[in-house]
Amino acid sequence: MSNKQWRMPDTYVIIFFIVLLAAALTYVIPTGYFNVNYVVEDMDSNVIAVVEDNQTQDVDVEGTIYTIDTTDSSRTYVYLGEEEIGNIRKSKASALEIEGARVVQEYGDFENTGETKAIKVFEKWGDVGFLNYMFEGLVTGDKWGSAVGVVAFILVVGGAFGIILRTGSVDASIINLITKFSKADLVLIPLLFFVFSLGGAIFGMGEEAIPFAMIVVPLMISMGYDAIVGILITYGATQIGFATSWMNPFSVAIAQGIAGIQVGSGATFRIVMWIVFTAIGIAFTMFYGSRIKKDPLRSVAYESDHAYREEFSNKDLASNPLKLGHILVLLTIVLGIVWTVWGVQAHGYYIPEIATVFFTMGLVSGIIGVIFKLNDMAVNSIAESFKDGAKDLVGAALVVGMAQGIVLVLGHSSANSASVLNTILNGMANSLNGIPTALTAWIMYIMQSVFNFFVVSGSGQAALTMPLMAPLAELVGVTKQVAVLAFQLGDGFTNLIVPTSGCLMGVLGVARLDWNKWFKFQWKFQALLFVIASIFMFGAVIIGLA
């Protein structure tokens, strides 16, 4: 008799059944819509006027007459006389600053039509049926957001990082640190943890930790620690950076784009959060490591580490020296990050501009790699590594489109058009009525943590949950920025413990450590992260993070 183990269904399978459920709901849940208003308020949040959607109204702001035109289907325009002084993209729902005031999109009362709009199995002429969810989900939207813009963003950025990683500069820099500080563990451990955390924060380092674990894990064992210390320094640090990032293009940037808020906004809060969690991670790792060094038998990995204690050799660490070309590539990455931050803050860069910055980083890095023959790169290597990098993220890009298909099956995400999705959102909002705003945000964080068990992909989870969580947040008085924070904290930290994470299981495989032994250690660290993350969630609500 065969002993078959149960396997978690693939993300695509999960999405298919969610689409199937969504289609079934259209037969029983009536459609509804929200009355969307555009509130003109002064800088002290005092309401000057309220303009309903699909209306045009003149508003007096300190003696100056502005015209608010909400009749366009995609944008709300603000005019001073005949001159357009700004507009709000309705799908982004951002505020527009004008002299002495601002215009803010807000949800008004919910209207239930009392009628169902059952979806068909198949539709022609570009309409949405159940079987149309894949294609229509992928082509919906525009370059400014989900799904088309986000899909293109993922592929372009993935290709760019494919080129950067092909140069070997990231590998060489980390291995160089290991070589120089291999005998100074009190310096090496915090330094490596910081570098890997920074990698997780800047470019979503995760799977890249696996090959480094092959080096760091045996190195830590040779220094008197155990495999768990090596895992914490590599994969653990990347996920702390991933969870607290202010610019990760595969997580927080996608979530902000889908939520319709400025990519890169809230950076100051997140940088502080990253510093705090990285410091906590370093302190926890050093504390745990010191106990294991004093008594190796305390480690749950003591037996599995035996093979490494016999096999370890330091000879591989000197095989990848840091060259001038590597340094120039690293400098290109730094300059690209500075360019991105400056562009977001000074010129409102969004998905198209940020993707182009990353593409430029990859292109310049590739040219440097060819000139300096890094990893024997030739001109064709740039194209090949770009294709490989993009190929690695095709799965994540498709998830974004399929997840958008769920929204389309439920009747699209327009707040002021009748849909099943709006009825569901209203029901969820009503269930949270009476609950303090801070507690609501915390519940959203818990929901994201649980959901990560089923969909481990950061971009996939963002694509699945943010179309619901972002408007839900507005309905219950939580800012979209806080909703994104709940997503990234819930997604990132649980990556360290869920057995459905292929990356975690890969690192554990490299370290020769069973998941159940890892769980015995990790639940304590997970509890610490949960408590601190909860404090940050409450703090974000209190300060009005927006």
Side-chain angles (χ1 to χ4, degrees):
M1 182 177 178
S2 61
N3 184 22
K4 294 184 178 180
Q5 291 184 334
W6 180 83
R7 293 179 59 191
M8 172 62 62
D10 188 271
T11 300
Y12 290 10
V13 176
I14 294 173
I15 292 177
F16 177 83
F17 281 104
I18 293 176
V19 174
L20 188 63
L21 174 61
L25 292 178
T26 65
Y27 285 82
V28 294
I29 297 179
T31 61
Y33 62 91
F34 293 94
N35 294 311
V36 177
N37 300 319
Y38 291 85
V39 179
V40 183
E41 56 186 36
D42 62 23
M43 294 307 175
D44 295 323
S45 298
N46 299 311
V47 176
I48 299 173
V50 177
V51 183
E52 296 181 359
D53 199 24
N54 298 316
Q55 302 293 323
T56 300
Q57 183 175 325
D58 291 336
V59 178
D60 187 334
V61 178
E62 298 179 349
T64 302
I65 304 299
Y66 294 94
T67 300
I68 313 296
D69 183 359
T70 69
T71 57
D72 188 80
S73 61
S74 61
R75 295 176 183 267
T76 290
Y77 294 92
V78 179
Y79 297 95
L80 179 59
E82 298 295 325
E83 179 187 2
E84 178 194 334
I85 62 171
N87 63 77
I88 297 174
R89 183 176 290 272
K90 291 184 176 181
S91 62
K92 287 182 63 177
S94 57
L96 174 66
E97 301 284 345
I98 58 178
E99 187 67 31
R102 56 178 167 257
V103 183
V104 183
Q105 185 191 71
E106 292 186 355
Y107 283 8
D109 295 331
F110 176 77
E111 303 288 344
N112 191 325
T113 66
E115 300 176 354
T116 58
K117 189 178 180 181
I119 194 169
K120 297 180 181 179
V121 175
F122 171 79
E123 286 281 12
K124 59 183 179 179
W125 310 122
D127 290 332
V128 180
F130 168 69
L131 295 177
N132 301 96
Y133 82 93
M134 170 68 83
F135 180 83
E136 295 298 335
L138 281 169
V139 300
T140 192
D142 54 31
K143 65 181 180 180
W144 303 100
S146 194
V148 171
V150 175
V151 168
F153 179 82
I154 290 173
L155 295 178
V156 171
V157 173
F161 274 114
I163 298 172
I164 291 171
L165 295 176
R166 176 69 170 79
T167 67
S169 301
V170 176
D171 300 35
S173 61
I174 293 178
I175 291 174
N176 187 62
L177 289 174
I178 294 173
T179 304
K180 287 185 177 181
F181 297 101
S182 60
K183 302 300 182 182
D185 50 335
L186 295 181
V187 176
L188 180 64
I189 291 176
L191 188 59
L192 282 179
F193 199 105
F194 173 84
V195 170
F196 278 104
S197 179
L198 188 63
I202 291 176
F203 59 91
M205 194 175 187
E207 288 81 358
E208 296 83 359
I210 296 176
F212 288 114
M214 296 178 183
I215 299 171
V216 176
V217 167
L219 175 63
M220 290 298 110
I221 294 172
S222 75
M223 296 169 71
Y225 299 103
D226 64 356
I228 289 176
V229 172
I231 296 171
L232 285 175
I233 291 172
T234 52
Y235 183 68
T238 64
Q239 295 314 293
I240 284 179
F242 195 98
T244 59
S245 173
W246 61 96
M247 64 172 295
N248 180 356
F250 307 118
S251 176
V252 63
I254 292 175
Q256 288 179 323
I258 294 173
I261 58 179
Q262 179 64 52
V263 174
S265 56
T268 302
F269 180 89
R270 288 182 171 87
I271 289 173
V272 171
M273 185 170 66
W274 172 73
I275 293 172
V276 171
F277 273 102
T278 299
I280 290 172
I282 291 172
F284 184 90
T285 303
M286 295 296 290
F287 172 74
Y288 170 81
S290 66
R291 298 181 68 191
I292 297 302
K293 201 166 188 177
K294 291 177 182 177
D295 183 6
L297 293 175
R298 297 176 65 102
S299 172
V300 297
Y302 181 76
E303 293 181 2
S304 57
D305 285 350
H306 176 71
Y308 268 130
R309 283 192 290 270
E310 290 187 341
E311 294 175 8
F312 178 77
S313 171
N314 203 44
K315 62 182 179 181
D316 292 330
L317 296 180
S319 63
N320 197 1
L322 190 65
K323 303 175 183 178
L324 175 60
H326 294 139
I327 295 173
L328 292 177
V329 170
L330 295 173
L331 180 61
T332 299
I333 296 173
V334 172
L335 292 176
I337 294 168
V338 172
W339 182 10
T340 301
V341 173
W342 171 79
V344 169
Q345 299 297 326
H347 297 286
Y349 280 10
Y350 202 51
I351 289 175
E353 295 83 6
I354 296 174
T356 302
V357 172
F358 278 101
F359 175 76
T360 304
M361 288 167 52
L363 182 60
V364 173
S365 298
I367 293 172
I368 294 171
V370 172
I371 293 173
F372 289 88
K373 300 295 183 182
L374 301 179
N375 277 349
D376 297 322
M377 286 185 70
V379 173
N380 281 348
S381 301
I382 299 176
E384 291 166 359
S385 53
F386 184 89
K387 287 187 287 187
D388 289 341
K391 180 176 65 178
D392 289 342
L393 291 175
V394 166
L398 289 174
V399 167
V400 173
M402 287 187 284
Q404 192 65 25
I406 299 171
V407 176
L408 293 178
V409 168
L410 290 173
H412 58 72
S413 58
S414 175
N416 59 350
S417 299
S419 69
V420 173
L421 179 60
N422 285 332
T423 304
I424 293 173
L425 287 173
N426 183 64
M428 294 173 70
N430 288 337
S431 67
L432 294 173
N433 277 342
I435 299 178
T437 304
L439 186 58
T440 300
W442 184 68
I443 291 173
M444 294 175 74
Y445 162 54
I446 294 176
M447 292 170 62
Q448 293 283 13
S449 298
V450 172
F451 194 81
N452 193 45
F453 179 87
F454 302 99
V455 181
V456 183
S457 164
S459 55
Q461 186 171 339
L464 279 171
T465 63
M466 291 316 298
L468 283 172
M469 288 297 180
L472 175 63
E474 287 193 316
L475 291 174
V476 297
V478 175
T479 67
K480 288 184 176 182
Q481 195 72 262
V482 172
V484 171
L485 185 68
F487 151 73
Q488 65 180 114
L489 291 175
D491 169 55
F493 290 144
T494 51
N495 284 337
L496 289 168
I497 198 168
V498 293
T500 50
S501 169
C503 187
L504 169 63
M505 300 309 287
V507 172
L508 294 180
V510 166
R512 303 174 184 178
L513 184 66
D514 293 336
W515 179 83
N516 59 343
K517 291 183 178 180
W518 169 252
F519 178 83
K520 290 178 181 178
F521 157 79
Q522 174 59 207
W523 75 265
K524 300 173 185 177
F525 188 41
Q526 196 69 207
L528 174 63
L529 294 175
F530 178 79
V531 171
I532 306 301
S534 298
I535 293 173
F536 270 96
M537 284 301 304
F538 286 120
V541 174
I542 291 172
I543 68 172
L545 181 65

